Amino acid sequence: MTDSSVNWTLQTRAVALGRPEGPGAPLNQPPVLASTFREGGTDYARFGTGSHHAFEVAIGALEGGAALSFASGMAAAAAIVETVPLGGTVLTADNLYHGVRSLLGDLQQAGRLRDVRVDALDPAAVEAALPGADLLWIETPSNPLIQVLDVEELGRLAQRHGVPMVVDSTFATPLRLRPLELGATYVVHSATKYIGGHSDLLMGVVVGRDEAALAPVARRRQLHGAVPGALESFLALRGLRTLAVRLDRAEASAGVLAERLAQHPAVTRVCYPGLPDDPGHDLATRQMSGYGAMLSFCVASEDAADRVLAGTRLVVMATSLGGVETTAERRNRWNEGTLTGLIRVSVGIEDVEDIWADLRTALDALDD
Ligand SMILES: *Cc1c(COP(=O)(O)O)cnc(C)c1O
């Protein structure tokens, strides 16, 4: 960052950083559509190009570290998992993105590593499991229960036992949680979600304290070829420019919807840390600078959940999250054994009254 930019707020950094500088420079980093380069600079696109670099500069400045972009969130996660030694142990929060869970499960089955689950809401349980572990992997707020984990406390414990800690911060975005300041070794984002923000690309990012900390994953990216495309990098950076305004609006609407859902007779439970009686509320208030725009709610049965989702028109039944459009899905499709009748909602930026009217109509129809 240049001198004055260290004083800029995160909102300003998201808009201003990662742009070409100097007289006559374009305001936006153009997509670099080249696989190879003349001798003397970047050699080959798999080692990283200007398209990747501009995005990485902006994300690094938001997280307070150095960033490395990947072809998807899973490619980013897999690069970190690859740094675990053969036969090593990955300690995982039991509420985790299903793709990461499946990856670790496959690797465990192949004898590559051990996936040991722990109740990460209970720091004493994590501390008891840390000795001998090679990596601690947590996600907050978590998927799909929107649980909030104490990153600072878990980071302190991990450091005490010399275990690197990964925080999947996809739901929080770089604007609501700063895991590196709280003790994370690596921060992971699926940039497919809020950072891209328009459901039109796949990308991931890993952030570490500095380039040296990133070196092992940079090596993995280079050799696995998990680099993002130039157009994806361009679009993800363009998405990042509006992250602050998109998130402010979606989050304000999520707060309104969570309160109204909690009052609806067909809703048995709402998971949203912005609600004062949510178990994660106090921690989220201390640890985050907002509660995010992801919420889950339960209706009486899986069948009722399917009927609600079939009854909405504006709210699109679709997986994934973090786009400008409100999407929802019955999460037991993926996370087997999660709460019965749980519907996860990614609140978008439409008018909140239209989103509520759509959900309420579908919920009211359960009575018929
Ligand atoms: C989507 C997601 C991922 C995986 O990212 P992709 O870009 O789909 O590969 C990882 N973690 C979380 C929390 C996610 O929501």
Side-chain angles (χ1 to χ4, degrees), residues 70-77 96-100 137 139-143 168-171 188-193 201-205 294 319-321 331 344:
F70 283 84
S72 68
M74 281 308 298
L96 213 64
Y97 178 70
H98 67 96
V100 174
W137 194 292
E139 185 180 311
T140 181
S142 74
N143 190 358
D168 184 334
S169 199
T170 298
F171 280 26
V188 178
H189 291 282
S190 169
T192 308
K193 316 294 169 55
L201 63 90
L202 283 178
M203 247 177 89
V205 61
M294 293 300 299
T319 194
S320 197
L321 59 115
R331 203 58 195 173
R344 192 191 71 183

Side-chain angles (χ1 to χ4, degrees), residues 109-182:
Q109 204 163 21
R112 165 72 179 79
L113 48 74
R114 287 199 321 140
D115 171 17
V116 176
R117 298 183 196 197
V118 63
D119 176 6
L121 287 169
D122 177 5
V126 175
E127 174 145 49
L130 273 168
D134 296 283
L135 197 63
L136 171 63
W137 194 292
I138 64 171
E139 185 180 311
T140 181
S142 74
N143 190 358
L145 298 177
I146 329 292
Q147 285 173 344
V148 184
L149 299 179
D150 192 334
V151 179
E152 191 166 24
E153 175 68 3
L154 296 174
R156 203 173 54 73
L157 296 175
Q159 257 160 27
R160 184 188 294 164
H161 291 274
V163 178
M165 178 172 77
V166 179
V167 177
D168 184 334
S169 199
T170 298
F171 280 26
T173 85
L175 299 181
R176 293 294 184 261
L177 182 70
R178 312 208 59 224
L180 289 179
E181 286 175 2
L182 300 173

